Amino acid sequence: MQGIIIRLLVAVVAVLISFQGSAQGRPGKGPSTGRFYGKIISSADKKGVEFSVLRMYQSERDSAGQIREEMVGGAISEGNGDFSIDQVPLGSDLSLLITAMGFDTLKVQIDYDRKAQGSYSKDIGNVTVKPSAVQLKTVEIVEEVDGLRMDIDKRVYNVDKNPVNAGGTAEDVLRNVPSVQVDLDGNVALRGSSPTIFVDGRPTTLTIDQIPADAIQSIEVITNPSSKYDASGGMGGIINIVMKKNRSMGYNGSIRAGVDSRARFNTGIDINLNEGKVNLFASGGYNQRRRRGDGVTDRLYIGEDPMIQYLQYSDNDNLGYFASGRAGFDWMMDNRNTLTLSQSLNKGNFRPFDFLETYTDTLGTSEDAIDYTSRDSETSRDFENLGSQIMFRHVFSREGAELTSDLNFNRIESVFRGDYLSYINDNEVIQLQEGTGGQRVLTFQTDAKTPLNKGAKLEGGVRANVRRYWSDYQNYTYDPDLQTFVEIEELLVDYTFLDQVYAVYGQFSKSYQKWGWQAGLRAESSD
């Protein structure tokens, strides 16, 4: 009977909280809203306290200079003590009042950055209630550095709000990142070497022209990879492309479209539904591409007898498109455990047209010494990438401590065909190349990190990566007598390999006001 009375009283309080919040209209004078969550525990047995009533108040000074409090949200803790208060307007002083039957009332002040933009989610931690009043350690939301953030082992460039990147690809984004060079063919260089490309901290089978720029949140440039990363990273460093993640409460989405100066069209859409313990997300994009270029090369070899001059002209036109889609959901099992499932599909086609002609002139001799060659090529490459991911994340009550574990599978396949027409003086040569290639990549990784005292942090994890790659190409030349293509068997490509890497690592770092250091150790087996 007592339990029924308690539940009735809690239900009445919940109705009053809901009514008061609606009647006051939640003024929301700040530019953003926030979600604050945590767990109410008893100091006696360290167990969760159910049916705790929580009220979030906003404090402001009125015209007379008096401080006025107004309730802007509320909740009731679950059976295990978990609670979550959503849609809390930011911009004013916030405090949380906690009342539970058999425990003293506790009021917690919450500090945050008044310049915060967008929707924020913050774990307040374990709130302990006991007979004597307890003051919870203040929650501090650190302001994000715009544009560039320097960490111990990397530089982070925030590219989310750069309008130059709209409608492009990761190739366009990387061209605007300092210390990163991207040539006309899309080859990336960092400190004069080729870096390893990651997406969300994991190796990817996508090339940078297959990743839409609108989906990128930031770029991490890691010039000296720590023990967390593969030993095979070499001296080229790592470029990690961090994709956008939207977990704003409620329903939201965006749609975009554009056209470039070469009349190529691009569009994209993002949809997000976050209600209760489930966050559903989906995104898609379509981007047409066209590149044009021409060049002239004039080389004179002096000192030869006779001297030799090479004159070369080139003209190219590259048409293509790529389409991308991603969908999945986050299941917040409770305030500190989240399971994520996602599926992605990327498809595209590139069709370069290239013309190259070369004159070789042996200076000082007759005109017969001038050799002429030209090459007209039309190639096509179709690709498809299918990616699946399952990830688990546990956040500890201690600020910054978490455990993540994920399993990724990627399948990429491509089909190539190239037609070539060449003239060597008066001789015509017709060639054909076609083939297929692909990869299967399976990656499992678990990482854990925890902050220590005075700016120190400890990290560790294990990783397994299995990759199978194959390539199968045939080359043909046209026989005018037989009027058909004949395979050049000496140029047959039939190549496959299986790569397996298993590793475990640990590292320690410590940050000071203006500098920091990091040390780690990695054991790795590669076959």
Side-chain angles (χ1 to χ4, degrees):
M1 185 67 179
Q2 183 180 2
I4 296 176
I5 295 175
I6 292 175
R7 284 171 170 78
L8 288 174
L9 291 174
V10 170
V12 171
V13 173
V15 171
L16 291 175
I17 290 176
S18 175
F19 173 76
Q20 183 175 357
S22 302
Q24 294 172 350
R26 289 190 183 185
K29 298 179 181 179
S32 308
T33 59
R35 171 178 174 255
F36 298 90
Y37 62 93
K39 188 173 186 177
I40 308 299
I41 62 173
S42 169
S43 61
D45 54 12
K46 303 301 180 183
K47 294 183 178 180
V49 179
E50 62 178 345
F51 303 135
S52 300
V53 179
L54 302 102
R55 303 180 182 88
M56 186 73 75
Y57 288 93
Q58 182 184 64
S59 302
E60 290 186 334
R61 290 186 180 273
D62 58 20
S63 58
Q66 300 295 321
I67 297 178
R68 178 172 59 88
E69 285 192 339
E70 192 171 21
M71 195 177 79
V72 293
I76 295 176
S77 64
E78 300 177 4
N80 62 352
D82 283 350
F83 70 89
S84 178
I85 305 177
D86 304 323
Q87 300 295 323
V88 177
L90 306 180
S92 302
D93 293 339
L94 294 177
S95 60
L96 180 63
L97 184 67
I98 305 168
T99 57
M101 185 171 293
F103 298 90
D104 281 352
T105 299
L106 177 65
K107 191 171 185 180
V108 179
Q109 299 294 327
I110 300 178
D111 295 333
Y112 60 93
D113 178 17
R114 301 298 179 85
K115 298 179 181 179
Q117 297 294 323
S119 297
Y120 287 85
S121 182
K122 186 68 178 179
D123 186 352
I124 296 178
N126 289 336
V127 183
T128 303
V129 289
K130 57 183 180 179
S132 58
V134 176
Q135 179 67 37
L136 183 69
K137 184 180 179 180
T138 304
V139 175
E140 179 182 2
I141 300 178
V142 182
E143 179 183 3
E144 181 181 357
V145 179
D146 293 333
L148 171 64
R149 186 180 81 248
M150 298 291 293
D151 291 343
I152 291 180
D153 59 344
K154 62 188 175 185
R155 301 190 303 274
V156 182
Y157 297 92
N158 187 6
V159 300
D160 178 23
K161 294 180 172 55
N162 189 346
V164 177
N165 301 324
T169 67
E171 183 176 337
D172 303 302
V173 176
L174 291 176
R175 292 184 192 277
N176 296 318
V177 174
S179 75
V180 177
Q181 297 83 40
V182 183
D183 63 20
L184 294 177
D185 296 322
N187 299 311
V188 183
L190 179 64
R191 297 195 308 181
S193 301
S194 298
T196 302
I197 304 297
F198 280 5
V199 172
D200 287 334
R202 300 293 184 264
T204 180
T205 54
L206 294 172
T207 58
I208 59 173
D209 57 359
Q210 299 170 8
I211 303 174
D214 296 324
I216 298 176
Q217 175 72 33
S218 61
I219 300 293
E220 296 178 352
V221 179
I222 307 171
T223 53
N224 294 291
S226 66
S227 61
K228 182 178 181 179
Y229 303 99
D230 284 351
S232 58
M235 296 301 295
I238 293 173
I239 294 179
N240 183 33
I241 301 175
V242 181
M243 309 301 286
K244 292 180 181 178
K245 301 173 183 64
N246 192 349
R247 291 189 178 178
S248 302
M249 293 300 296
Y251 307 82
N252 56 81
S254 65
I255 187 170
R256 55 194 178 272
V259 62
D260 64 18
S261 59
R262 295 192 173 102
R264 308 304 287 174
F265 177 73
N266 64 82
T267 184
I269 185 172
D270 299 284
I271 301 173
N272 195 83
L273 167 60
N274 192 344
E275 288 293 338
K277 293 182 177 294
V278 178
N279 174 53
L280 301 175
F281 55 87
S283 62
Y286 177 79
N287 196 325
Q288 294 179 330
R289 303 278 288 174
R290 184 177 188 181
R291 287 183 176 177
R292 301 192 64 181
D294 57 74
V296 178
T297 302
D298 190 354
R299 295 179 181 176
L300 180 62
Y301 287 80
I302 303 176
E304 301 289 338
D305 186 19
M307 290 187 297
I308 301 175
Q309 182 181 24
Y310 292 95
L311 186 60
Q312 181 175 279
Y313 299 92
S314 64
D315 187 14
N316 59 78
D317 191 0
N318 190 343
L319 299 176
Y321 81 91
F322 68 84
S324 63
R326 182 173 181 265
F329 68 89
D330 302 306
W331 174 34
M332 280 71 79
M333 293 181 284
D334 53 41
N335 282 340
R336 294 184 181 134
N337 295 283
T338 302
L339 182 68
T340 300
L341 293 174
S342 66
Q343 183 72 49
S344 63
L345 176 64
N346 297 271
K347 299 188 69 173
N349 171 271
F350 295 97
R351 295 187 61 192
F353 302 88
D354 295 287
F355 177 72
L356 182 69
E357 60 178 352
T358 304
Y359 297 89
T360 303
D361 187 0
T362 304
L363 301 180
T365 63
S366 64
E367 294 182 358
D368 294 337
I370 299 178
D371 290 328
Y372 170 80
T373 61
S374 69
R375 184 181 181 90
D376 198 341
S377 64
E378 179 179 346
T379 59
S380 176
R381 181 170 69 93
D382 295 89
F383 68 88
E384 179 180 290
N385 180 284
L386 183 69
S388 305
Q389 181 188 60
I390 178 171
M391 184 178 74
F392 172 76
R393 180 172 182 257
H394 175 75
V395 179
F396 296 93
S397 59
R398 187 170 189 174
E399 177 84 22
E402 68 175 25
L403 171 70
T404 61
S405 183
D406 61 87
L407 180 67
N408 295 269
F409 174 75
N410 279 276
R411 185 200 75 189
I412 183 169
E413 295 181 353
S414 62
V415 179
F416 176 84
R417 178 186 172 93
D419 293 280
Y420 308 94
L421 174 61
S422 302
Y423 287 95
I424 303 175
N425 293 326
D426 296 329
N427 298 318
E428 181 183 75
V429 180
I430 302 176
Q431 296 168 301
L432 169 65
Q433 184 185 57
E434 57 185 8
T436 60
Q439 296 186 58
R440 300 287 189 270
V441 183
L442 182 66
T443 304
F444 170 77
Q445 185 157 343
T446 296
D447 300 289
K449 63 180 180 180
T450 181
L452 304 176
N453 295 328
K454 299 181 179 180
K457 182 171 65 173
L458 185 64
E459 298 180 75
V462 296
R463 181 173 184 269
N465 180 263
V466 179
R467 180 167 66 111
R468 179 179 178 268
Y469 171 89
W470 76 92
S471 178
D472 184 10
Y473 281 83
Q474 296 82 37
N475 293 268
Y476 305 88
T477 184
Y478 185 77
D479 189 329
D481 296 330
L482 300 176
Q483 295 187 349
T484 186
F485 283 97
V486 178
E487 182 177 359
I488 308 174
E489 296 183 358
E490 294 83 357
L491 299 181
L492 172 67
V493 176
D494 187 3
Y495 178 65
T496 181
F497 74 80
L498 178 66
D499 180 29
Q500 302 177 78
V501 179
Y502 305 96
V504 58
Y505 78 94
Q507 63 185 31
F508 176 83
S509 62
K510 186 171 179 60
S511 299
Y512 301 91
Q513 185 174 1
K514 294 184 178 181
W515 67 284
W517 61 272
Q518 180 174 267
L521 183 65
R522 182 182 186 89
E524 182 173 289
S525 170
S526 178
D527 178 27

